[in-house]
Structures are given as C-alpha cells and as structure tokens.
Amino acid sequence: MPPVELILLLLSPVFLVCVLLEWRFAVLRQQNWYHWRDTLANAVLALLHQGADMLALLLLMPFFYWLHQFSLFTIELTALNLLLAFILQDFLYYWFHRGSHHIRWLWASHVAHHSSRLMNFSTAFRQSLTYPISGMWVFWLPMILIGYEPMLVFAVVALNLAFQFFVHTQAIGKLGPLEYLFNTPSHHRVHHACNPRYIDRNFAGVLIIWDRLFGTFVAEDANEPCRYGITDDFNSTNPLTITFYEWRRMWQALRCKERQQSAWQVLLKMPAKLQTSPTEKTSE
C-alpha cells in the first residue's frame, strides 16, 4: 500500500474519535454543525478518494522512480533534509491549492471539498476521486527532480494532509501566537467561507506564512461570521453529484454551440465567482 493511504489509514481511528467528540460537543452546545446525510456523504467520498489515490499511485510510482534517476542531487535522509522536505512540500501545496481556486480544470476536483454548507471535522473527508485526473500529483514532481526519494515525498504529502484534518472545525477559536505561523481552524474557516471578503483566501496547508508572503491572507472577523459552501446554488448530499458537479458543467460548456470561449479557455479559465450569498436550493 502506498504511504499516503497507509499513513492516513493508521490515523483514521484518531480522526473518527475527533468527529465523535466534536459531534457530542455540538449537541451539548446546541450547535447545528452536523447533519447525518452530509456526514455520510463525506465518509463515502473519503473512501472513493482513497481508493482512487491508491490506484493512481500504484500506476504512477514506476514513472516517479524513472523520473528520480534524473534528479539534480542525491539527498540523504537526515533530520535537516526531512525538515526541508516538509517546508518545500508545504510551499508547493500552497501553489497547488491556490491554483485549484483559479484554474477550472483543478477546481473541478477541488470544488467537492468546498461544496458543503457545514464546517466540521468530517468536512476534511469530503474529497474528490478525480484528483489523479486533474493532476494534483504533478505539483510534487519538483521534489522528485531535486532528489527526494518518491516514497518519502508522498509520505510527506500524507502527513501534510493529516495535519489539515484538524483545522476543519468550529469548536476551536483563535490560538494566539500560533496564528502567525501555522494554519489554524480560524484561518481555515475563512478559506471555506463564501462571504465575498473571504473568497479565495488562506490557501495554507500547514504554514500560513505563504499566504502572508503572497498577499492571500485574511483574518477571521468576529463581526462577519463565515458562511460555508460555494457561491453556486448547490447543496447536495449525493456523492456522485458532489464529485462530478463541475466536470459536468465543463462538459456542457464544451458542447455548447454558442460558446464564445475556446476549448482551452473553458477548461482552464475560472468562471467569475458570484459575489452574492448562496441560496439553500438543493440539487440532488
């Protein structure tokens, strides 16, 4: 089993305990953070995503090792090199994540993660099985070409994704000085919000410093509570509808005889995001 799936599988009991504790906390606080249909959809999407990722890595690993033979350096496994790998991968993740909000081909996969009107630990499970098709793995190739061994690269990717589980919650407020360096629940609530001032902000994986450096950081404002979801009229709990929502829209745009954009523009150019509040219309 590839390292991404193995690491996340070993951590899955921790994730499930956190979901149960947060759900219980929400009940005691009379907070409507969980709906069972939404949570079930998130769980199904997680299984589909892990299965697709495992198959993709099994198929692509020979290519990664072939590419590794052309690497610029031979990087030994030391504490310093491992730390540098975490920082480099987090930097690359920032650009993958930012690209996923501005390039439609990437957004077609990533939109699944943003499509829930709720924000809780189970939202972290809400992933798309189409990430291998949209090419998330391409963003890790620079690490392999520099000289990091492919298995190590994807182990680092897995640990980055595991950390991100813990920022999907409303149960934790701001964390003081940690807010300046790390991605936190407060920062990530902003990222999932569809308020106009919050859209396309805080792309961090682990370190929020990239957003601060590249001008995409916005702090959560207690005077403007986050509204979650996407700006489209979308509120489905059907895993297939969630997964293929934007892919279907792109296909329809490509088939439209009256379209004014080229095929490349349809696939790559992000449609203008609506600057209005989403409705509660359900499209199952």
Side-chain angles (χ1 to χ4, degrees):
M1 180 177 290
V4 175
E5 280 65 42
L6 182 59
I7 290 172
L8 296 179
L9 180 63
L10 291 174
L11 287 173
S12 58
V14 177
F15 298 155
L16 293 176
V17 168
C18 288
V19 168
L20 291 173
L21 290 175
E22 185 189 42
W23 169 78
R24 182 59 179 166
F25 179 78
V27 170
L28 293 174
R29 294 283 300 273
Q30 297 183 327
Q31 298 290 338
N32 195 25
W33 294 345
Y34 278 86
H35 294 166
W36 74 268
R37 289 182 183 275
D38 181 86
T39 303
L40 180 60
N42 295 344
V44 172
L45 288 166
L47 292 174
L48 293 173
H49 167 70
Q50 290 302 306
D53 260 17
M54 181 171 64
L55 178 60
L57 283 177
L58 287 172
L59 294 174
L60 288 170
M61 199 58 74
F63 166 70
F64 296 144
Y65 275 100
W66 172 83
L67 193 65
H68 183 60
Q69 69 180 321
F70 303 108
S71 58
L72 298 175
F73 308 101
T74 300
I75 299 179
E76 297 180 359
L77 184 59
T78 65
L80 177 59
N81 287 336
L82 188 58
L83 175 62
L84 292 175
F86 275 96
I87 295 173
L88 176 57
Q89 192 274 325
D90 197 59
F91 174 74
L92 294 173
Y93 178 85
Y94 169 85
W95 289 107
F96 155 74
H97 199 179
R98 186 169 176 174
S100 294
H101 282 249
H102 293 91
I103 300 171
R104 194 176 188 183
W105 180 261
L106 297 176
W107 175 247
S109 293
H110 191 57
V111 66
H113 184 59
H114 281 267
S115 60
S116 177
R117 301 291 184 208
L118 303 175
M119 179 62 162
N120 55 58
F121 279 136
S122 81
T123 307
F125 300 151
R126 194 183 185 96
Q127 303 290 344
S128 175
L129 63 85
T130 65
Y131 273 122
I133 296 172
S134 57
M136 182 180 184
W137 51 272
V138 173
F139 286 81
W140 321 136
L141 297 185
M143 295 186 68
I144 295 174
L145 286 172
I146 288 173
Y148 283 104
E149 199 266 342
M151 280 292 198
L152 175 64
V153 170
F154 288 97
V156 171
V157 170
L159 292 174
N160 189 304
L161 296 176
F163 170 89
Q164 292 184 51
F165 168 86
F166 298 100
V167 298
H168 290 82
T169 181
Q170 297 183 67
I172 299 173
K174 294 194 176 185
L175 298 176
L178 294 178
E179 302 281 328
Y180 293 99
L181 181 60
F182 293 102
N183 190 16
T184 66
S186 176
H187 296 330
H188 205 62
R189 286 192 290 270
V190 166
H191 179 70
H192 273 261
C194 58
N195 313 47
R197 69 173 295 190
Y198 292 153
I199 289 176
D200 293 344
R201 299 293 182 175
N202 299 0
F203 298 110
V206 174
L207 300 174
I208 200 67
I209 58 174
W210 313 123
D211 288 286
R212 296 184 184 276
L213 283 172
F214 298 113
T216 52
F217 174 75
V218 168
E220 184 180 26
D221 186 347
N223 295 318
E224 186 170 353
C226 295
R227 300 189 308 271
Y228 302 108
I230 57 177
T231 56
D232 297 346
D233 293 339
F234 182 87
N235 192 19
S236 177
T237 55
N238 182 320
L240 294 180
T241 300
I242 294 168
T243 297
F244 296 109
Y245 170 68
E246 188 64 24
W247 293 106
R248 179 175 57 84
R249 279 162 40 99
M250 281 200 302
W251 176 246
Q252 290 173 344
L254 286 171
R255 293 184 63 191
C256 179
K257 295 180 180 179
E258 298 177 357
R259 63 179 167 89
Q260 298 179 344
Q261 294 180 314
S262 69
W264 285 112
Q265 286 176 314
V266 171
L267 294 174
L268 300 178
K269 186 177 180 180
M270 195 67 190
K273 290 186 171 67
L274 302 175
Q275 297 300 304
T276 57
S277 301
T279 70
E280 294 303 319
K281 179 180 176 181
T282 300
S283 53
E284 295 289 347

